[in-house]
Amino acid sequence: MGRRPPTSGTLRSAAKRLEPIAAMGFDVVYLPPVHPIGTTFRKGRNNTLNPHEGDPGSPWAIGSPDGGHDAIHPDLGTFEDFDAFVARAREVGLEIALDLALQASPDHPW
C-alpha cells in the first residue's frame, strides 16, 4: 500500500483550536519554526538518509526557494494568517512561543 503524503494544518485551521486549548488550562502555545524547510540533504522518516517524496524534513533546517528566516512556509499560510492566529490567541488568553531556528539549509536564499 502506498504512503499518503503528510497533510499540514494551517495557521487558520490551528486558530480554530485555540479556544479549546485555553479551556484545558494552558496559557502558552508553542510553535516550532514556521519558515520554509530546506530541500537539500533532507532526512526522511525515522531519521533515514534516504527521504521519499513528501517527507516533511526538519523544521529546523531553514531555507528553500520559498524563502528563508523572513518567510512563512506557504503550506502554513501568510503573514496575515499568522497575525490572525496571534490575535485569536490573545483573545482567548494565550501567548505564543515561537521557536527561532538559527540553522540554515544549504538552499537558504541568503
Side-chain angles (χ1 to χ4, degrees):
M1 177 175 255
R3 293 189 334 183
R4 286 186 359 196
T7 302
S8 176
T10 66
L11 292 162
R12 294 282 180 174
S13 66
K16 295 175 184 175
R17 301 297 304 149
L18 292 172
E19 191 169 353
I21 290 168
M24 288 187 273
F26 292 99
D27 57 5
V28 176
V29 174
Y30 164 78
L31 297 178
V34 297
H35 313 295
I37 298 170
T39 55
T40 57
F41 303 111
R42 177 174 276 195
K43 289 188 177 182
R45 291 176 185 251
N46 298 318
N47 215 26
T48 180
L49 297 178
N50 300 310
H52 296 286
E53 182 68 32
D55 281 346
S58 169
W60 286 271
I62 305 304
S64 77
D66 292 318
H69 285 82
D70 58 352
I72 294 176
H73 195 292
D75 288 354
L76 298 176
T78 64
F79 278 100
E80 181 180 281
D81 297 333
F82 182 79
D83 290 343
F85 180 83
V86 173
R88 182 64 183 139
R90 286 184 181 143
E91 288 173 9
V92 299
L94 294 169
E95 293 184 56
I96 302 299
L98 178 62
D99 200 328
L100 173 64
L102 300 177
Q103 302 87 328
S105 174
D107 47 347
H108 196 290
W110 301 349

